[in-house]
Amino acid sequence: MSWWRKDKKPRRPRRESVERLEIPPDVWEKCEACGHTDLRDKFARNLNVCPACDYHRRIRAHEYVSILLDEGSSKEVDANLRSTDPLGFPEYPQRLKKASAASGSGDAMLAASGTLGDMPVNLGVMDFGFMGGSMGSVVGEKIARLGQRSLERKYPLVLVSASGGARMQEGVLSLMQMAKASALLSQLGERRIPYVSILTNPTMGGVSASFAMLGDAILAEPGAVIGFAGPRVIKQTMGQDLPEGFQAAEFLLDHGIVDDVVHRRDLKKTVGQLLRHMSGKPALTGWSAP
Amino acid sequence: MATTANTLEFERPLVELEKQIDELKKMAGDQQLTVSAEIAPLEQKLTELRTEIYRNLSPYQRVQVARSSKRPFTLDYIRLALADFIELHGDRSFRDDAAIIGGWARLDGETVMVIGHQRGRDAKENLHRNFGMPHPEGYRKALRLMKLAEKFHVPVLTFIDTQGAWAGLGAEERGQSEAIARNLYEMSRLDVPIIATVIGEGGSGGALALGVGDRVLMLENAVYSVITVEGCAIILWKDGKSPEMREKAAAALHITAQDLLELRTIDEIVPEPPGGAQADHEAAAKSLQQALLRNLDDLRHLKPDKLVRRRREKYLRIGQFSE
């Protein structure tokens, strides 16, 4: 066990058929934060958290679904909702088309139902890859319908945010989605149905200033940038440099704005534990003291 | 009335005409002549021109009108349309934010809770009011007053007049997002009538945090937007300065009262006097007072649970998408 007496690893036998093992260059990935280079597979197995510096890389909505929901339990819902162009906004239809082609998503939120630690839940995950995770009518409607499902069956709601804010291209309709989502959540609150909000990098603007900040528990991924106004705007209005780590998840924890900062690998366990507490269910280990 | 220093471009012809009339009057006074025969047609022309100009304002010109410091602000409407006002201060935990004011008042004798953004008319006042851009404690004060109104079964009137919530270090540290979100949440369940009126510029989440209501009204020349016209122009065309780009952005965003009514995001447009609310504060206040009274009469008879249910249903319907 002693670390100084390192066990000699048995050398792998050289393969005879291949003279030299060719590693294609695209299996390597580099951490955006510390520059650590590792096999893509290793990043993936570590839930895309850098093995060297713990930087939480951005992942896609469906990946959160598989992290949070029990294997084989998840089912996407309301997958056919699509944004229209209610204002005839310049370039919006083209941008939607591009976003959809590039991300393979229908819009900036994936809605699913499934179980989390054997508990039925409704889950919505924002997809930053689709127009910066911006909230327009479709995102608002998906949240409203997830919430409605939660109201009908008394199933807890979990929302994962990753967004630059409201979607400018739908104008004031986007702004009103903030009120729409909040109106639904207030119903959930009155019926005592638990809602856990998970904030990932980034959670800003109209998303931050509505459902993201209304969780019965609010969890944030390490290092996630979370705030109302963007750092560039603040720097401009203040005319001074911003302190180190400003608007990072840890900064919000210090200022009492989030309940905890949770490593991606612990998200499911933590959410499950919280939901069990809030819905009067026994712990996974049972009622009794250890 | 208008000084050349902060005259809007499209008001120039009006100012010119006013100057002419003033000179005529002065001359008449000096030389003790009767010039009413000459003045009357000029004054009529002035009225017609003003009506004409204001009827055809472009979206960006409306933004300029909405932001004008000559328009009546929340305190002006309180003074002119309400009575018996007593201001209540502070969020009870951090400080008093002068960018939002509120307190008890009377609308036609009946007690209401009035809350609104407050801008300043000059530099000194704007420093105090932070240009009507609130910090979290402003929104928390507003919520405290709304809950107080609910406790005593008193309707809530809000006046919206802000470019947006303040973007600053302290605002972020104290949870600007949470403060706004909390208001949206609580306003969607408050069991007394809420009538929100956009009186000037309704800027994004900072406006909406006072803007969830059973009825949302907009003054004729008010604007309401998810992002400032300048911000939109920068994002789209990397140019937030030139008037052409601002004009394009204002048109693209659909921010006028008429636009919002068509998008079914507001309930009613409150007419302004000719030349806009800034031309005649009393007339604007009278118009608003009537609209508030009429809407309050519609809401008064509703039972609290029905009121809240209808309010929520209204917001749950907002949005356009395909399926």
Side-chain angles (χ1 to χ4, degrees), chain A residues 16 61 147 172 192 209 263:
Chain A
E16 274 134 37
V172 78
R192 300 173 204 283
H263 194 284

Side-chain angles (χ1 to χ4, degrees), chain A residues 95-148:
Chain A
R95 290 213 55 187
L96 282 171
K97 221 176 270 172
K98 252 193 230 163
S100 158
S103 67
S105 312
D107 209 283
M109 173 167 273
L110 193 162
S113 63
T115 59
L116 188 157
D118 292 331
M119 252 180 311
V121 296
N122 291 305
L123 171 68
V125 187
M126 300 197 81
D127 192 344
F128 193 81
F130 192 102
M131 291 187 75
S134 55
M135 169 164 65
S137 298
V138 169
V139 171
E141 181 68 14
K142 281 194 174 185
I143 293 173
R145 292 191 188 183
L146 278 171
Q148 202 58 47

